[in-house]
Amino acid sequence: MNRAAAFIAAASFLAAPAVAATYSAKPATAPASAKIIGKDISWARDGDSYRGSTEASRPLILCQDLAKRAGRLESFMADGQALPADQLAKCNTAAKDGASAQLAKAN
């Protein structure tokens, strides 16, 4: 009986839900949309930024997807940690306006 209880306890531990990471991003221009549905995340406008949370742990991919939909980003944070400048530049190459890609290449 103790083995069964131990197995159930171990199985429930392994099946525990992953903790969602929180993300925020500030577009270079004021956000136009109140909500953006992206890959694995729903972004909600919060003042001059967007905020969202997801269990996906791919900050650069999420950043590029948002830049593609919202334009060049001034900043991108994952769980309170800023995306490094080189990664932010790479992110902005996906921005929907062509000038962002040129700017990123110049840096």
Side-chain angles (χ1 to χ4, degrees), residues 39 64 70 72 79 93:
K39 288 182 182 176
Q64 289 173 322
R72 193 175 74 77
D79 283 335
T93 62

Side-chain angles (χ1 to χ4, degrees), residues 29-40:
T29 59
S33 301
K35 192 170 194 177
I36 294 177
I37 306 299
K39 288 182 182 176
D40 301 324

Side-chain angles (χ1 to χ4, degrees), residues 1 4 8-9 21 26 35 37 44 55 57-58 60 76 87 106:
M1 191 65 149
I8 291 170
K26 183 176 181 186
K35 192 170 194 177
I37 306 299
E55 293 176 8
S57 61
R58 306 167 305 173
L60 180 59
F76 188 89
Q87 293 291 300

Side-chain angles (χ1 to χ4, degrees), residues 3-4 14-15 24-25 30 34 41 45 49 51-52 70 77 90 103 107:
R3 284 186 182 167
L14 293 175
S24 63
I41 192 167
R45 184 174 60 203
S49 299
R51 299 198 186 280
M77 299 190 68
K90 186 174 182 179
L103 180 62
N107 291 329

